[in-house]
Amino acid sequence: MQGMTPQDVEQALQVLGLDIEVIIFETSTATSQMAADNVGCELGQIVKSLGFMIDKEKPLLVLASGDQVVDDRKLATLLNVGRKKVRMMTREQCIEILGYAPGGVPPIGHRQSGFDVYIDEQLQRYQTVYAAGGSSQAIFPIELETLHLITHGIFTDVAKG
């Protein structure tokens, strides 16, 4: 299955009525640290869009702060399932469900829809955050309040520690 592109993310932003441009870098933004280095922002301002499968069949998207690690125990408790029922999506599942390979998954513009989105409350430290734009070299800036509105995400504590 073919992955989607930064142009798909730009189109999704336009459909949402947002005048936000996806920035393409010459170097990789695949990790939070690489993204922060390219953008010139704090590590915590990077939004990691992480796909999870719950009980092997229910997709879930977690938008986590770049300086945090998602705690699968907290996710399991939140979803009222055993910890072993919470698994990161495989690369194939990311492309099939979200439309993008890991390292470039945006918080919007996915191939499928209808799954829950949880937002790491640690992101509330920032007004402006930076999310992947559909490839491992693409990022876009967005106000956290806007990100919350367009994803219909639920703020919650999903970080380890």
Side-chain angles (χ1 to χ4, degrees):
M1 182 173 282
Q2 191 74 8
M4 296 169 72
T5 68
Q7 290 73 26
D8 294 304
V9 177
E10 284 188 334
Q11 184 176 5
L13 289 165
Q14 289 173 0
V15 167
L16 290 164
L18 299 174
D19 187 23
I20 297 174
E21 194 172 309
V22 174
I23 304 161
I24 308 292
F25 291 91
E26 290 191 17
T27 54
S28 179
T29 58
T31 70
S32 296
Q33 188 63 61
M34 290 173 169
D37 291 346
N38 272 295
V39 172
C41 69
E42 290 183 35
L43 182 58
Q45 285 180 275
I46 299 300
V47 178
K48 300 188 287 192
S49 298
L50 304 171
F52 287 86
M53 292 302 287
I54 310 307
D55 204 13
K56 297 182 183 177
E57 60 189 46
K58 183 181 179 208
L60 171 79
L61 187 66
V62 174
L63 306 179
S65 181
D67 63 355
Q68 302 297 312
V69 175
V70 173
D71 188 337
D72 58 354
R73 291 176 198 264
K74 286 183 179 178
L75 271 180
T77 300
L78 182 70
L79 300 167
N80 201 28
V81 297
R83 191 176 126 235
K84 291 184 178 184
K85 303 270 186 186
V86 178
R87 293 279 180 245
M88 290 280 299
M89 284 184 185
T90 64
R91 176 182 173 80
E92 292 75 23
Q93 288 170 323
C94 278
I95 294 170
E96 179 184 333
I97 297 166
L98 302 175
Y100 305 88
V105 176
I108 56 152
H110 303 119
R111 181 168 276 140
Q112 295 180 22
S113 60
F115 45 82
D116 291 334
V117 177
Y118 289 97
I119 304 173
D120 175 13
E121 64 186 18
Q122 293 289 327
L123 283 166
Q124 292 176 309
R125 297 173 286 170
Y126 306 101
Q127 182 176 345
T128 302
V129 294
Y130 299 86
S135 82
S136 60
Q137 293 179 278
I139 290 181
F140 65 93
I142 189 166
E143 300 298 309
L144 182 60
E145 183 178 320
T146 302
L147 181 66
H148 177 233
L149 289 171
I150 64 174
T151 61
H152 306 287
I154 299 164
F155 280 108
T156 191
D157 176 16
V158 293
K160 283 189 179 179

